[in-house]
Amino acid sequence: MSVRPRSGVQIPALTAQVARASNLRGTTAMWVRDRLDGSWRDEDFEAWYPRDGRPGLSPAQLATVCVLQFLLNLSGRQAAEAVRCRIDFTYALALELDDPGFHHSVLGDFRDRLAKDDRADQLLDLALERLKAAGLVKARGRQRTDSTHILAAARELTRLELVLDAVRAAVEELARTAPELLDGLVTAEWGERYGRPVRMRSQPSQPSQPSQPSHPVTRLTQAGTDAADLLTRVQQHRPGRALGPQLEALRQIMVQQFVVDARGRLRPCREKDGQPPAGLQVCSPYDLQARFVLRGNTRWTGYLAQAPTT
């Protein structure tokens, strides 16, 4: 497949007339065409394709479709259907009204080419340069793209599950690195409490596990006491030494989830104690960077990936 550059493509008169008549105020797709026309040209993509072969679809048009797909939150099938059926897409791509469009798999092929090497960065830099030339980006200004979400490779845990799993992970870490510190502390009761991964919610394969634990506050307090004893033992025998990753996770979880009351007793934090916001709390003892995030109607445990500013 090769590229046959098309320079200076104009919107067909009938397409423009119908689009304007049916969308008096314009649409996002029409705005993209009117304000950003020329952000990409077919010549910019010639290095992506071989010199010979049958002519392919206009890569500049496909890049525009990808932008509209992102702006309007469309799937590949929906974007391809919009090219065939929506007059504002026909307008944005400068197509004739009877243009048959293309199969949605073409967009996947185009993105595969875009993902190679540093083509995406080069295309973004090119678009920014032309946006500056069009006066849409001010000199020495800062333009920010919206952040996207990345799911953490960890289960969503209840508060009790989080503390129990953190203690279990810390004990396993010490059993590998300094087993002598567990002598006299870890008993058979600890083995019953932390001897296996914590799963509070019932599953078809494990019907014996209750969906709701009995006496959750008591179990949480007991886990907090065990965690405090474990951390105290480590600090007494290894003063000044950095904690391992699981012990550090346990320490942070204890700071966030427990307080010592006026009588000197350890207890779980309550709302009036001023817990840190959910976005700052550790969500998994295995990933201290993962956080609970809420954006509109979307919630997840993981990260926000922010594109660089320009």
Side-chain angles (χ1 to χ4, degrees), residues 51-52 123 136 143 154 170 182 184 205 210 231 237 260 263-264 277 295 303:
R51 293 179 178 274
D52 53 2
L123 197 59
L136 296 177
Q143 297 295 318
L182 300 178
S205 61
L231 291 171
H237 289 78
V260 177
R263 299 180 181 180
R295 289 292 184 274
Y303 323 93

Side-chain angles (χ1 to χ4, degrees), residues 286-297:
Y286 306 101
D287 189 345
L288 294 182
Q289 304 304 317
R291 292 292 184 268
F292 173 80
V293 187
L294 179 64
R295 289 292 184 274
N297 295 324

Side-chain angles (χ1 to χ4, degrees), residues 88-128:
D88 57 340
F89 271 60
T90 303
Y91 178 95
L93 301 179
L95 300 174
E96 298 286 352
L97 292 178
D98 58 354
D99 192 286
F102 51 79
H103 193 266
H104 66 86
S105 62
V106 173
L107 292 174
D109 295 338
F110 177 77
R111 284 192 290 269
D112 287 342
R113 294 179 186 272
L114 180 64
K116 293 180 179 179
D117 302 324
D118 58 349
R119 290 173 177 175
D121 291 337
Q122 293 176 2
L123 197 59
L124 177 60
D125 291 340
L126 180 62
L128 289 174

Side-chain angles (χ1 to χ4, degrees), residues 50-226:
R51 293 179 178 274
D52 53 2
R54 64 181 179 85
L57 296 173
S58 165
Q61 288 182 333
L62 295 178
T64 301
V65 173
C66 289
V67 170
L68 293 174
Q69 180 182 352
F70 172 79
L71 289 175
L72 302 177
N73 194 28
L74 302 176
S75 66
R77 291 179 183 271
Q78 290 171 331
E81 182 180 1
V83 173
R84 293 191 301 271
C85 303
R86 287 182 51 166
I87 185 62
D88 57 340
F89 271 60
T90 303
Y91 178 95
L93 301 179
L95 300 174
E96 298 286 352
L97 292 178
D98 58 354
D99 192 286
F102 51 79
H103 193 266
H104 66 86
S105 62
V106 173
L107 292 174
D109 295 338
F110 177 77
R111 284 192 290 269
D112 287 342
R113 294 179 186 272
L114 180 64
K116 293 180 179 179
D117 302 324
D118 58 349
R119 290 173 177 175
D121 291 337
Q122 293 176 2
L123 197 59
L124 177 60
D125 291 340
L126 180 62
L128 289 174
E129 288 299 323
R130 291 176 180 168
L131 288 172
K132 291 177 182 178
L136 296 177
V137 177
K138 296 180 179 179
R140 299 183 180 277
R142 294 175 66 85
Q143 297 295 318
R144 177 181 179 275
T145 60
D146 196 11
S147 54
T148 187
H149 67 275
I150 300 175
L151 298 179
R155 288 194 321 120
E156 289 191 10
L157 303 174
T158 65
R159 188 183 186 188
L160 178 56
E161 288 175 323
L162 173 66
V163 177
L164 290 174
D165 225 23
V167 176
R168 183 182 67 84
V171 170
E172 290 182 346
E173 182 180 62
L174 280 179
R176 294 190 304 269
T177 59
E180 67 278 4
L181 297 184
L182 300 178
D183 294 340
L185 177 65
V186 175
T187 62
E189 293 182 354
W190 277 58
E192 293 179 1
R193 290 197 288 267
Y194 311 112
R196 60 183 178 181
V198 181
R199 300 291 186 272
M200 295 300 180
R201 299 177 180 83
S202 60
Q203 301 175 6
S205 61
Q206 298 172 313
S208 62
Q209 292 191 4
S211 59
Q212 295 295 333
S214 58
H215 307 293
V217 176
T218 301
R219 294 185 65 179
L220 184 59
T221 303
Q222 179 64 62
T225 301
D226 292 342

